[in-house]
Amino acid sequence: RERSDWIVVFPSRWPTAVMAPSLSTAALGAAALCVPSTAFVGPAAAPSAGSSRTLREASGLSTSGIAVSSSAPSVSFGLGAGSAGACLAAAAAVALARRRGGVFRRVMDKPQLVFTAGFEDVVPKPGSEKAFGAMVGADVETGGEPWDPLGFSKLYDRNFDFNGVMVYPHVQWLREAEIKHGRVCMLAFVGMCVQQAYQIPGLPQEPDWVKALDACYSDPVAQLGLVQISVFAMVVEGRFYPGEAWYGEMGREPGDLGFDPLKFAKRPNFDLKKKQLSELKNGRLAMIGVASMFANHVIPGSVPFLTGSYAVRPEVESASPSSTFCGQTCSSALSLAQAPSKTAARYTTQVILPALQWIKTGLKASDLGPTELKAKNLAGVDVLVGKDGGGKLFCVGNLCPHIGTPMSEGADVIGDVIVCPLHGSSFKVTTGELIDWCPSPPIIGPLTGLPIEKKNLAVFDVRSSFFGGDIEVLVDT
């Protein structure tokens, strides 16, 4: 204050409580500073020098840090009112701090969404394979039946058959992806073919479709075109993102973006299903065509009618000259072919009869819980002993019939079904009957299962002794 009739008192040492890093102690310190008896003295009649000294001595504070005016006041504000107000402020601050601490503990004990707007609970429902049967796509090529040799439409329903985790997508998502890739490839194939004969004036004149993108990156005008295409793609993807299609709850038909500027759908006698089938089949053909362009680029002449489409022949190692009429013959390969094999098969007419024997596994029935598995090697045979979901003992071969993956390395037992941990093949534990062959991961799993003959899982007789509960398995020794 720019006045000479005020006395401002600063304590020479702060209380320890004021320095505590909490809201309640800070409020108490603020209340202590607000007490008028030690902070501000109101103006009154001019006192004498003695009264000013008496005021300083009565305050109980050091004289250091006290600014005294020649016209210092002698009448102060009421101590009772100031102290009561300070106490009420401190109590309110303490209550506020406790309430905030309780809210913090409740939030930390039970996490909650900070932003609830835009979130809704979704309960997925099975039915991907059924929805696939009602979709457009079946025609004379497939006998009028839906064509899904690798079983992609069944993957979504497997989520409910096993662990309920939505790992595999609904057929809506798969059809949306197929239509989108087909549309992109139709544009790409036309661009690859037209680019070789005609280029837009003002843009890079590069007939080779392999080098066209690099030429656009180096041209300022073409860069703007790439930006426009990228922005357009981002807007369309953001506007029509098929997030709900993953669990089959998308509100529109797959591929339907509402884009019909020429109003074909409103013309009389317009067959929408027929046009959808045409677009789907042309998109599939375009995907094969783009793949053939890439194949012909790497291996010239591998695709008919595409030879000369800027194909690049891979580097070929130069062969050494030969003076023979039909070319050089590898003497080492010839000698290797003529050499007798070290693993030549030898046949016998003797009949080898099975020698079945009950062998103890070293396990007791009480050692295994429901769906628990234990791997054992009995007389050279790898077996897997376990219990199904109902607690019934079973014994199967430990090696998957697909590629010999050990079933003990993470196999799941669901009811009376055991699932291979590598490619998801499932078998009945009671009979070994094959239920599903290599369904996962998508694409890779079914492809690995194609060249290998489907087989059932080996099953062994198992029993537990009446006294002691020792588990025994009948194996061929």
Side-chain angles (χ1 to χ4, degrees):
R1 309 282 291 187
E2 297 181 354
R3 294 180 59 179
S4 60
D5 53 353
W6 289 86
I7 297 179
V8 183
V9 180
F10 298 96
S12 60
R13 186 174 60 182
W14 291 95
T16 305
V18 177
M19 304 303 293
S22 66
L23 182 61
S24 59
T25 54
L28 290 174
L33 291 178
C34 293
V35 177
S37 61
T38 59
F40 298 93
V41 179
S48 62
S51 62
S52 176
R53 183 166 51 254
T54 304
L55 176 63
R56 292 196 299 270
E57 293 174 354
S59 62
L61 300 173
S62 173
T63 56
S64 60
I66 301 177
V68 182
S69 172
S70 59
S71 59
S74 60
V75 181
S76 63
F77 292 113
L79 296 176
S83 301
C87 293
L88 290 176
V94 171
L96 179 60
R98 290 180 178 177
R99 186 176 63 179
R100 290 183 176 178
V103 172
F104 176 78
R105 285 191 296 272
R106 288 196 300 272
V107 171
M108 294 305 294
D109 293 340
K110 184 178 180 181
Q112 300 177 358
L113 284 176
V114 178
F115 300 100
T116 57
F119 291 91
E120 60 179 353
D121 295 332
V122 177
V123 180
K125 300 178 182 179
S128 177
E129 186 177 6
K130 182 178 179 181
F132 175 66
M135 285 185 173
V136 177
D139 203 6
V140 293
E141 297 87 356
T142 61
E145 297 293 332
W147 191 71
D148 185 19
L150 299 182
F152 290 134
S153 61
K154 302 177 183 179
L155 294 177
Y156 178 80
D157 296 333
R158 285 177 59 87
N159 298 322
F160 301 90
D161 296 338
F162 293 96
N163 53 10
V165 180
M166 310 312 296
V167 177
Y168 304 117
H170 193 274
V171 72
Q172 277 191 354
W173 179 278
L174 301 178
R175 176 52 59 87
E176 179 83 9
E178 182 185 21
I179 295 176
K180 184 179 298 183
H181 284 81
R183 291 169 177 172
V184 171
C185 287
M186 284 189 284
L187 293 173
F189 189 82
V190 172
M192 290 175 178
C193 297
V194 174
Q195 181 76 14
Q196 301 177 28
Y198 176 78
Q199 297 86 37
I200 300 176
L203 294 177
Q205 305 298 305
E206 179 56 66
D208 189 354
W209 60 271
V210 180
K211 302 177 182 178
L213 185 60
D214 293 334
C216 291
Y217 283 147
S218 59
D219 185 80
V221 179
Q223 288 178 2
L224 295 178
L226 292 177
V227 171
Q228 292 176 355
I229 295 174
S230 302
V231 171
F232 175 77
M234 287 188 293
V235 171
V236 173
E237 287 293 323
R239 172 64 179 84
F240 300 100
Y241 176 68
E244 297 85 359
W246 186 269
Y247 46 87
E249 297 293 337
M250 186 169 60
R252 58 178 176 84
E253 191 174 355
D256 184 10
L257 305 182
F259 181 75
D260 187 14
L262 300 180
K263 308 298 181 182
F264 285 112
K266 295 183 178 181
R267 295 182 180 181
N269 301 325
F270 180 79
D271 192 349
L272 179 61
K273 296 295 182 182
K274 183 179 180 179
K275 295 302 180 182
Q276 288 177 338
L277 180 61
S278 299
E279 181 190 25
L280 190 62
K281 295 171 68 174
N282 282 281
R284 292 168 177 171
L285 181 62
M287 287 188 278
I288 298 175
V290 171
S292 65
M293 294 290 285
F294 282 100
N296 187 72
H297 172 72
V298 178
I299 307 176
S302 60
V303 182
F305 308 109
L306 292 182
T307 302
S309 299
Y310 293 95
V312 179
R313 183 178 297 277
E315 297 180 359
V316 181
E317 296 180 1
S318 60
S320 58
S322 175
S323 58
T324 58
F325 179 75
C326 295
Q328 185 180 11
T329 303
C330 180
S331 59
S332 59
L334 182 61
S335 60
L336 182 61
Q338 295 176 350
S341 174
K342 295 182 180 180
T343 58
R346 293 177 174 84
Y347 297 93
T348 179
T349 57
Q350 295 180 354
V351 178
I352 302 176
L353 299 177
L356 300 177
Q357 183 178 354
W358 288 98
I359 300 179
K360 292 185 178 182
T361 60
L363 299 172
K364 295 183 180 295
S366 58
D367 296 338
L368 298 174
T371 70
E372 188 176 357
L373 301 171
K374 292 288 185 181
K376 292 292 180 180
N377 185 279
L378 305 178
V381 181
D382 292 322
V383 298
L384 192 63
V385 183
K387 288 184 178 181
D388 59 13
K392 184 179 179 181
L393 275 175
F394 69 87
C395 183
V396 296
N398 190 26
L399 302 182
C400 179
H402 179 211
I403 56 175
T405 304
M407 303 285 279
S408 57
E409 299 296 329
D412 294 327
V413 178
I414 304 170
D416 60 347
V417 176
I418 186 169
V419 183
C420 176
L422 186 59
H423 296 112
S425 299
S426 53
F427 309 87
K428 282 275 190 179
V429 297
T430 54
T431 61
E433 178 186 357
L434 173 64
I435 298 176
D436 207 350
W437 185 254
C438 304
S440 62
I443 301 177
I444 298 176
L447 289 179
T448 59
L450 286 178
I452 301 176
E453 181 184 359
K454 296 181 179 180
K455 298 179 182 179
N456 293 334
L457 184 64
V459 177
F460 299 88
D461 292 334
V462 61
R463 69 184 183 184
S464 60
S465 61
F466 184 77
F467 297 102
D470 295 325
I471 299 177
E472 299 177 350
V473 178
L474 185 64
V475 298
D476 185 4
T477 57

